Amino acid sequence: MGNEAKILSYAQGLGEVCNNAEQIAETEAGTIYALALLDADGMPMPLGLPRFVIEKGNSRKIVKGKEALTLLDSLDLEE
């Protein structure tokens, strides 16, 4: 099982409605994965506010709501 699959399984186990996890950044806080719900054509469906999982070592944390917006604002995703 790849790491994205493990992240997805973790998020779904905590009740998150998603079927895709994608690594988007590496920071001092850890590796950041964005959660998404994709339709049958692979197009993203709206989830509301963004949802992330931060993984550092053996620790994982779901980030959503205002905290997710603050995290997203701090990332330089244009690289």
Side-chain angles (χ1 to χ4, degrees):
M1 180 182 288
N3 212 40
E4 276 90 359
K6 290 178 185 176
I7 295 297
L8 184 59
S9 178
Y10 166 78
Q12 290 172 334
L14 293 175
E16 289 298 320
V17 177
C18 55
N19 60 10
N20 188 63
E22 179 182 350
Q23 181 179 335
I24 61 165
E26 293 268 349
T27 68
E28 289 182 18
T31 305
I32 301 173
Y33 296 86
L35 301 176
L37 181 62
L38 305 179
D39 67 14
D41 296 321
M43 298 300 294
M45 297 172 58
L47 286 176
L49 294 173
R51 288 166 164 72
F52 303 103
V53 173
I54 300 177
E55 179 180 59
K56 187 167 188 175
N58 292 327
S59 175
R60 294 182 182 129
K61 174 185 171 185
I62 296 272
V63 178
K64 55 187 173 181
K66 187 176 180 180
E67 187 180 2
L69 290 175
T70 302
L71 175 62
L72 185 60
D73 191 41
S74 73
L75 299 175
D76 182 11
L77 300 176
E78 293 186 28
E79 294 178 1

